[in-house]
């Protein structure tokens, strides 16, 4: 094999493809090798650069997280002699790896810096690991103008969901925090929002009066996510719910765990566009829900899109890159991405949606 052929082949396997091949190799391995392959496969999605590029530069793959000498050799042989097709099963398909997301962001140099907000995150008010102030402080370092705090509602006790009294307590805490931020000259502001649990019939679990005073209401399904029948009616019902403006992690899929719900997506997206409501890109690495393929459908219908990291810890705020890269790949215009709106524009959008019911 001459040098040109070698480098062309080296460029051919992405980290996501390497992850898939390592997952396949893990299936026939035992003991510590199986676990090492599985760990490396999961880590590959978070490697900051393409393994192929590391090898092409003559560096060692052991620079990458979860890659020891044995795994490095395994990856080098995959890169040297890649299989013709790497086709993940549906349960692992359509997930961006960080390195490819960063390539997309590098091709759109002002996109990340122009992003004004992250519109889904959790705190110790529900099942987050960081306090409200810790999350906001970390979000501020990312340069956001505002963030939406979206703790869970009471219908999700497993996630320590809030009832109306706790939501009111959080409202007072957020108001006080916004005053602290303003008086200390900080730019970031906190939107009081919620991730309200929706029943499979599209109904919420909170008093509508309590929701009316919030800056933003996300609605999300957390039950009956493994049914295989068409769920179009569930989505249409959720979009008719007058208390909800954003449908969060619409499919409910999880990498290698759950496929997520099925629906007549063009019809759901058209209904979203007609209602003026937004569909979310939950940017959590294991969710990426919506993914690029469904975002193209949403984009064609003209629906609004909202990006949220669904961060349950400070470190997870970084996955905004995956969500933004997906929106860019699907060519969703900035005017239809809530995260590019200033706080006043977003507030006007929310009141328009509320006025439309
Ligand atoms: Zn949660
Ligand atoms: Zn959720």
């Amino acid at each position: 094999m001459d040098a040109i052929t070698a480098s062309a082949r080296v460029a051919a396997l992405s980290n996501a493809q390497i992850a898939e091949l390592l997952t396949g190799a893990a299936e026939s391995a035992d003991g510590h090798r199986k676990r090492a392959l599985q760990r490396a496969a999961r880590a590959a999605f978070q490697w900051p650069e393409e393994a192929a590029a590391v090898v092409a530069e003559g560096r060692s793959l052991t620079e990458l997280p979860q890659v020891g000498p044995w795994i490095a050799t395994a990856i080098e042989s995959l890169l040297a002699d890649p299989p013709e097709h790497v086709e993940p099963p549906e349960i692992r398909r359509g997930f961006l790896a960080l390195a490819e997301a960063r390539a997309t962001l590098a091709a759109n140099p002002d996109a990340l810096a122009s992003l004004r907000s992250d519109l889904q995150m959790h705190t110790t008010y529900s099942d987050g690991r960081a306090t409200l102030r810790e999350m906001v402080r970390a979000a501020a370092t990312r340069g956001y103008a505002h963030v939406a705090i979206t703790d869970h509602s009471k219908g999700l006790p497993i996630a320590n969901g809030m009832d109306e009294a706790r939501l009111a307590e959080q409202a007072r805490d957020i108001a006080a925090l916004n005053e602290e931020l303003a008086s200390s000259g900080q730019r970031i502001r906190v939107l009081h929002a919620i991730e309200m649990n929706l029943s499979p019939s599209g109904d919420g679990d909170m008093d509508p009066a309590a929701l009316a005073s919030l800056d933003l209401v996300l609605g999300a399904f957390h039950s009956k996510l493994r049914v295989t029948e068409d769920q179009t009616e569930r989505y249409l019902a959720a979009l008719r719910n007058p208390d909800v403006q954003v449908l969060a992690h619409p499919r409910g899929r999880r990498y290698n765990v759950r496929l997520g719900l099925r629906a007549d997506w063009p019809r759901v997206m058209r209904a979203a566009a007609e209602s003026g409501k937004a569909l979310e890109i939950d940017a959590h690495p294991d969710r990426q829900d919506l993914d690029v393929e469904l975002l193209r459908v949403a984009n064609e219908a003209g629906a609004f899109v909202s990006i949220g990291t669904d961060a349950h810890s400070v470190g997870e705020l970084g996955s905004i890159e995956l969500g933004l890269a997906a929106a860019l790949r699907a060519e969703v215009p900035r005017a239809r991405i809530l995260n590019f709106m200033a706080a006043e524009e977003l507030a006007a959008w929310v009141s328009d949606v509320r006025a439309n019911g």
Side-chain angles (χ1 to χ4, degrees):
M1 176 161 58
D2 60 32
I4 291 169
T5 315
S7 65
R9 283 193 167 192
V10 162
L13 278 185
S14 69
N15 288 353
Q17 290 174 316
I18 290 171
E20 185 57 30
L21 293 167
L22 295 176
T23 298
E27 277 161 20
S28 52
D30 293 309
H32 73 277
R33 291 199 160 181
K34 185 187 196 74
R35 287 189 297 278
L37 286 162
Q38 287 169 335
R39 274 198 307 272
R42 288 308 289 129
F45 278 92
Q46 296 299 324
W47 290 340
E49 52 190 325
E50 294 289 350
V54 172
V55 168
E57 287 174 19
R59 289 153 53 209
S60 169
L61 286 172
T62 56
E63 288 178 26
L64 299 172
Q66 301 294 346
V67 179
W70 181 71
I71 292 283
T73 306
I75 296 171
E76 278 160 19
S77 19
L78 290 172
L79 288 168
D81 188 17
E84 223 163 281
H85 296 290
V86 184
E87 187 60 20
E90 197 184 350
I91 204 157
R92 294 195 293 269
R93 205 178 299 154
F95 291 88
L96 289 175
L98 182 60
E100 59 190 329
R102 288 198 170 156
T104 301
L105 295 177
N108 296 270
D110 72 322
L112 193 55
S114 309
L115 209 65
R116 294 172 194 258
S117 62
D118 178 339
L119 296 176
Q120 194 196 157
M121 65 186 67
H122 301 266
T123 73
T124 48
Y125 271 93
S126 61
D127 61 348
R129 286 200 293 278
T131 64
L132 168 67
R133 280 165 178 76
E134 286 165 344
M135 285 306 268
V136 172
R137 204 178 304 136
T141 66
R142 309 192 69 87
Y144 295 134
H146 51 278
V147 287
I149 298 294
T150 59
D151 279 302
H152 295 281
S153 61
K154 64 185 177 187
L156 210 57
I158 194 174
N160 189 29
M162 301 175 296
D163 62 11
E164 287 78 359
R166 186 106 171 107
L167 184 69
E169 190 185 314
Q170 188 183 42
R172 290 189 290 274
D173 199 4
I174 287 177
L177 175 55
N178 276 327
E179 280 180 28
E180 290 161 32
L181 292 166
S183 62
S184 63
Q186 294 205 62
R187 172 172 177 251
I188 195 165
R189 293 295 176 271
V190 183
L191 306 183
H192 191 200
I194 193 167
E195 182 190 357
M196 179 167 67
N197 191 47
L198 296 177
S199 74
S201 53
D203 297 317
D205 62 349
M206 298 291 281
D207 178 359
L211 300 172
S213 60
L214 296 177
D215 296 311
L216 186 68
V217 177
L218 279 55
F221 298 119
H222 297 98
S223 57
K224 293 204 164 63
L225 297 177
R226 289 179 185 270
V227 294
T228 52
E229 297 83 18
D230 180 283
Q231 298 293 301
T232 303
E233 291 307 322
R234 181 199 288 222
Y235 289 102
L236 298 180
L239 288 166
R240 282 194 301 268
N241 185 321
D243 301 322
V244 172
Q245 293 98 45
V246 177
L247 202 52
H249 53 70
R251 293 190 62 191
R253 73 168 185 167
R254 286 197 83 104
Y255 179 87
N256 215 17
V257 172
R258 197 168 60 212
L259 282 170
L261 300 172
R262 296 169 192 284
D264 178 347
W265 291 113
R267 193 167 159 217
V268 170
M269 305 307 187
R270 280 198 302 275
E274 279 161 23
S275 68
K277 297 184 179 184
L279 296 162
E280 190 188 49
I281 305 174
D282 185 313
H284 189 285
D286 289 349
R287 289 189 180 269
Q288 304 195 33
D289 177 10
L290 302 172
D291 65 3
V292 176
E293 193 183 325
L294 281 183
L295 281 167
R296 290 204 174 104
V297 181
N299 193 25
E300 200 157 307
F304 281 97
V305 164
S306 173
I307 309 174
T309 55
D310 197 357
H312 285 68
S313 66
V314 162
E316 288 177 354
L317 292 168
S319 62
I320 195 78
E321 290 176 274
L322 294 173
L324 180 56
L328 292 167
R329 283 173 172 238
E331 297 178 357
V332 182
R334 289 187 189 188
R336 284 210 308 268
I337 300 176
L338 303 189
N339 308 69
F340 286 106
M341 295 179 182
E344 312 77 63
E345 291 172 81
L346 181 60
W349 178 85
V350 169
S351 46
D352 279 356
V353 174
R354 280 181 171 143
N356 290 340

